[in-house]
């Protein structure tokens, strides 16, 4: 038996996180004649072979439409799609598969929530509370629905460390607050928000809570019932699955109560020119042919994550983040943006006198993939007074060699530009 597992049980969890790197074929390639150091998993993580196999199997053997065909392939496609839903339900511990709506990703999940939930419960003078550390996809949909309904968008400030100002949160939460929407883990800062505490406070004030879980899923074991969130949005491509598939978890009674997001096939029960009746959950929110292959891939990603010991994963990623933070401090001219006490796998930084884009281009030449720019979080950049940062983001497959390669690239950038 491998040393990587905790017991003899066939479903024992993997604790040797370093051993997982070999599961990811994309990481075996060379870029600019250097081994690839992929430090952009907060944008999109790589897929393990099992996810790739599930996608290929779906496309090569089961490709057909769902919920309609009486033929073999149609049945297999439906099975692949619905079994993925059940595995996702089980993984996040939702009470029912009615609560798992497949979407294109976090962005579409939040747009669905803003349009259907916000559209039905907000009126003039109401407030939607968000934070200063939100991704644009958890700002703009709320802004749009506020414009339509006359509600106000209220952002909670963040501290110099990049944490939610909890006193301000308490102060701004009031009887006009109908919806509280916040990010579980910030993509720009790495901050892990105290989700349970924020949800409890929001509920005590009578608000409905929508959590953007895009960055939490690959780093934390999320249990929606333990969190007691009302809605939780996430994307397949950030949790080792494919692009174009995501999930909106919603409590059944809330999903029942709100109107459909889009109209079309699949989401109806009956249609006449006078009146349409809507399908049961979750289909009411899944108009048109869904991303069946994406769901099959997401199902495999969830299977993959289910086998991992998250205490070991967190320890691995924290050690790596600490190592990277320490190595970055070798450059007297580098400042880290985002120094929260509870932080996950994101190292956002600026180097004096060198634009983040130049940093990104030079380290790419050294085979290192980092993200540069505003990370779809312009208010965060404004808060810290920088136009852009370079961001190295880590996943379970990264190791100290990746960090060392980043440091070599950064040294080249500093030598070239300063
Ligand atoms: N929220 C956060 C915190 C994110 O990091 C991202 C992706 N960068 C999104 C939302 C949007 O996700 P997607 O592009 O998959 O819809």
């Amino acid at each position: 038996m491998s040393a990587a597992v905790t017991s003899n049980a066939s479903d024992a969890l993997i604790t040797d996180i370093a051993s997982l790197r070999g599961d990811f074929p994309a990481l075996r390639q060379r870029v600019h004649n250097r081994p690839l150091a992929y430090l952009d998993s907060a944008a999109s993580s790589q897929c393990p072979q099992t996810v790739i196999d599930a996608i290929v199997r779906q496309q090569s053997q089961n490709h057909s439409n769902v919920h309609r065909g009486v033929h073999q392939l149609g049945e297999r496609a439906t099975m692949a799609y619905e079994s993925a839903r059940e595995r996702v339900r089980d993984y996040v511990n939702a009470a029912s598969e009615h609560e798992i709506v497949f979407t294109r990703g976090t962005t579409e999940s939040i747009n669905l929530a803003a349009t259907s939930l916000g559209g039905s419960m907000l009126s003039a003078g109401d407030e939607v509370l968000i934070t200063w550390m939100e991704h644009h996809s958890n700002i703009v949909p709320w802004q749009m629905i506020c414009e339509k309904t006359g509600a106000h968008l209220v952002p909670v400030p963040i501290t110099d460390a990049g944490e939610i100002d909890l006193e301000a949160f308490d102060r701004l939460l009031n009887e006009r607050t109908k919806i509280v929407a916040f990010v579980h883990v910030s993509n720009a800062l790495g901050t892990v928000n105290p989700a349970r505490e924020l949800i409890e406070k929001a509920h005590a004030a009578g608000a409905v809570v929508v959590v953007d879980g895009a960055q939490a899923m690959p780093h934390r074991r999320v249990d929606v019932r333990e969190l007691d969130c009302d809605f939780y949005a996430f994307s397949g491509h950030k949790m080792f699955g494919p692009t174009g598939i995501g999930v909106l978890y919603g409590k059944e009674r809330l999903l029942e109560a709100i109107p459909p997001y889009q109209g079309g096939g699949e989401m109806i029960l009956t249609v006449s020119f006078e009146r349409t009746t809507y399908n049961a959950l979750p289909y009411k929110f899944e108009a048109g042919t869904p991303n069946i292959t994406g769901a099959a891939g997401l199902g495999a990603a969830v299977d993959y994550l289910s086998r991992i010991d998250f205490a070991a994963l967190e320890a691995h990623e924290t050690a790596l983040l600490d190592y990277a933070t320490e190595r970055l401090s070798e450059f007297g001219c580098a400042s880290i943006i985002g120094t929260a006490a509870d932080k996950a796998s994101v190292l956002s930084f600026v180097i004096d006198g060198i634009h983040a884009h130049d940093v990104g281009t030079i380290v790419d030449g050294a085979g290192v993939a980092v993200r540069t720019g505003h990370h779809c979080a312009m208010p965060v950049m404004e808060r810290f007074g920088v136009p852009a940062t370079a961001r190295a983001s880590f996943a379970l497959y990264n190791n100290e060699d990746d960090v060392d390669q980043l440091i070599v690239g950064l040294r080249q950038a500093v030598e070239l530009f300063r």
Side-chain angles (χ1 to χ4, degrees):
M1 191 181 94
S2 146
V5 293
T6 50
S7 81
N8 284 323
S10 58
D11 60 350
L13 296 177
I14 296 168
T15 56
D16 181 3
I17 304 303
S19 70
L20 299 173
R21 187 179 175 101
D23 296 338
F24 293 81
L27 300 177
R28 285 178 218 135
Q29 64 190 298
R30 291 174 77 81
V31 167
H32 301 306
N33 213 21
R34 305 282 201 305
L36 168 65
Y38 188 76
L39 297 176
D40 194 20
S41 295
S44 276
S45 51
Q46 297 299 334
C47 294
Q49 189 62 49
T50 50
V51 168
I52 297 164
D53 290 345
I55 292 169
V56 169
R57 193 162 51 244
Q58 180 55 31
Q59 284 298 125
S60 57
Q61 294 170 20
N62 305 338
H63 181 63
S64 179
N65 216 315
V66 286
H67 304 142
R68 298 170 200 173
V70 288
H71 56 76
Q72 255 299 306
L73 265 60
E75 271 178 31
R76 277 195 235 143
T78 303
M79 178 74 93
Y81 187 64
E82 292 303 332
S83 97
R85 193 192 310 278
E86 168 50 27
R87 279 132 73 208
V88 170
R89 182 211 64 74
D90 183 56
Y91 186 71
V92 300
N93 194 29
S96 156
E97 69 271 19
H98 297 163
E99 300 181 323
I100 303 296
V101 177
F102 281 129
T103 63
R104 279 195 302 126
T106 307
T107 303
E108 190 175 50
S109 296
I110 297 173
N111 273 277
L112 191 169
T115 306
S116 295
L117 174 78
S120 60
M121 72 181 293
L122 294 173
S123 38
D126 288 343
E127 292 178 359
V128 176
L129 200 64
I130 60 166
T131 81
W132 268 70
M133 73 173 84
E134 299 310 314
H135 186 278
H136 296 161
S137 64
N138 206 25
I139 302 174
V140 184
W142 299 113
Q143 223 160 26
M144 288 163 71
I145 201 68
C146 281
E147 255 171 46
K148 244 191 188 158
T149 57
H152 302 294
L153 190 66
V154 179
V156 179
I158 56 176
T159 65
D160 290 345
E163 294 170 331
I164 291 182
D165 179 338
L166 289 173
E167 272 176 30
F169 183 88
D170 291 343
R171 198 167 2 96
L172 292 169
L173 187 65
N174 65 70
E175 68 287 350
R176 291 184 301 280
T177 313
K178 294 294 182 296
I179 296 171
V180 173
F182 67 87
V183 72
H184 195 169
V185 175
S186 158
N187 66 308
L189 301 165
T191 310
V192 181
N193 283 317
R196 185 74 198 84
E197 183 186 338
L198 299 177
I199 291 164
E200 229 172 74
K201 287 179 179 191
H203 282 166
V208 174
V209 184
V210 179
V211 182
D212 170 354
Q215 297 292 342
M217 293 301 284
H219 305 297
R220 294 289 184 272
R221 197 69 165 85
V222 171
D223 179 327
V224 291
R225 273 193 281 180
E226 193 180 300
L227 284 175
D228 195 29
C229 51
D230 299 302
F231 293 88
Y232 197 94
F234 53 97
S235 300
H237 69 104
K238 295 187 196 285
M239 50 187 288
F240 316 110
T243 52
I245 185 78
V247 171
L248 179 66
Y249 157 80
K251 284 183 182 161
E252 188 159 356
R253 74 181 158 77
L254 292 169
L255 286 174
E256 282 290 4
I258 63 177
Y261 172 52
Q262 294 178 326
E266 285 284 302
M267 53 74 73
I268 56 87
L269 215 52
T270 62
V271 176
S272 73
F273 290 119
E274 289 71 40
R275 182 161 180 265
T276 291
T277 58
Y278 303 129
N279 206 342
L281 291 176
Y283 310 112
K284 179 171 111 180
F285 293 105
E286 293 183 0
T289 299
N291 185 353
I292 304 159
T293 302
L298 177 59
V302 156
D303 292 344
Y304 188 81
L305 284 167
S306 304
R307 296 193 51 236
I308 294 170
D309 180 322
F310 267 62
L313 180 145
E314 273 185 48
H316 173 89
E317 292 186 350
T318 303
L320 199 56
L321 185 61
D322 288 349
Y323 178 68
T325 305
E326 192 188 305
R327 296 262 4 228
L328 195 66
S329 70
E330 287 170 18
F331 298 91
C333 51
S335 332
I336 293 173
I337 308 291
T339 51
D342 193 0
K343 198 177 153 180
S345 289
V346 165
L347 193 64
S348 227
F349 59 94
V350 289
I351 297 188
D352 290 349
I354 315 179
H355 195 281
H357 290 296
D358 293 328
V359 171
T361 308
I362 301 294
V363 302
D364 174 57
V368 183
V370 297
R371 198 88 178 161
T372 61
H374 53 62
H375 314 295
C376 297
M378 282 187 179
V380 171
M381 300 299 120
E382 193 194 326
R383 169 66 178 78
F384 288 93
V386 293
T389 74
R391 180 189 71 188
S393 57
F394 307 100
L396 51 85
Y397 40 64
N398 290 116
N399 57 30
E400 290 190 357
D401 291 344
D402 294 327
V403 175
D404 292 343
Q405 207 171 318
L406 169 68
I407 299 300
V408 168
L410 290 178
R411 223 172 269 299
Q412 288 168 4
V414 170
E415 275 160 24
L416 197 71
F417 281 92
R418 304 188 83 234

